[in-house]
């Protein structure tokens, strides 16, 4: 009987090592892609939460000043956007004007001071108010910012 050659059992070949490195590389790329997706979804979730918080903030202000809100003091004919310096009301401004300015500052601070960060309030005489908060979710979205597909709107309707 012939003895098996030591040369045939010398160890792992170069091909096996290359295949193992290739499999490990694909696995690490998959982990990196999952981490990127988790970060993007986390950012989008945080922005949605901030939109809800800001909508309830202006509603709470309107409930504290319900008589003026029902008269339309908080109504905005068009959305106001947080795209730059938001003027602070002077000492003669009404409570509604001061609340709106504080709300716009809150929107800018939490959702970004951009042209796409906007808010609007409309109330009718029956006390039904609609609050719209709009923001850009490009980091969390999939459209890449080329269109309005990444512009999200949260709408809250309440009765004062």
């Amino acid at each position: 009987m012939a003895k098996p050659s030591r040369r045939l059992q010398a160890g792992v070949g170069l091909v096996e090592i290359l295949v193992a490195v290739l499999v490990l590389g694909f696995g690490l790329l998959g982990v990196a892609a999952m981490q990127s997706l988790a970060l993007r979804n986390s950012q989008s979730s945080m922005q949605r939460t901030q939109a809800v918080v800001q909508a309830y903030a202006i509603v709470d202000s309107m409930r504290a000043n319900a008589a003026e809100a029902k008269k339309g003091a908080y109504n905005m004919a068009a959305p106001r956007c947080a795209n730059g310096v938001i003027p602070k009301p002077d000492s003669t401004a009404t409570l509604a004007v001061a609340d709106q300015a504080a709300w716009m500052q809150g929107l800018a601070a939490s959702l970004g001071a951009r042209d796409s960060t906007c808010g609007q309030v409309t109330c009718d005489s029956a006390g039904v108010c609609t609050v719209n908060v709009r923001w850009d979710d490009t980091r969390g979205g999939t459209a890449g910012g080329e269109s309005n597909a990444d512009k999200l709107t949260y709408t809250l309707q309440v009765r004062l």
Side-chain angles (χ1 to χ4, degrees):
M1 285 218 158
K3 288 185 177 179
S5 170
R6 289 185 58 113
R7 192 168 150 232
L8 296 176
Q9 300 174 357
V12 181
L14 185 59
V15 172
E16 287 88 359
I17 292 174
L18 290 175
V19 169
V21 168
L22 183 68
V23 168
L24 181 66
F26 279 126
L28 291 176
L29 282 174
V31 169
M34 285 187 349
Q35 180 69 21
S36 173
L37 185 64
L39 285 173
R40 186 173 39 168
N41 289 337
S42 175
Q43 174 72 17
S44 181
S45 174
M46 192 245 347
Q47 287 179 335
R48 288 173 190 261
T49 301
Q50 289 300 324
V52 171
V53 167
Q54 291 301 325
Y56 276 99
I58 193 65
V59 167
D60 287 341
S61 297
M62 292 186 318
R63 283 188 174 140
N65 194 9
E68 291 299 313
K70 287 178 183 178
K71 291 178 188 174
Y74 286 86
N75 287 358
M76 300 174 188
R80 292 190 189 155
C81 298
N83 55 353
V85 179
I86 298 163
K88 294 185 180 179
D90 60 10
S91 60
T92 62
T94 64
L95 180 59
V97 171
D99 286 344
Q100 287 175 343
W103 184 52
M104 292 309 298
Q105 289 171 352
L107 283 175
S110 60
L111 294 172
R114 300 182 194 95
D115 291 337
S116 58
T117 303
C118 303
Q120 184 176 15
V121 176
T122 54
C123 294
D124 62 17
S125 59
V128 176
C129 298
T130 303
V131 178
N132 291 315
V133 178
R134 187 170 191 224
W135 73 99
D136 184 359
D137 192 31
T138 302
R139 285 185 67 186
T142 57
E146 296 90 15
S147 65
N148 284 335
D150 287 331
K151 310 302 187 274
L152 298 180
T153 301
Y154 174 74
T155 302
L156 173 66
Q157 191 171 42
V158 297
R159 182 179 303 274
L160 297 179

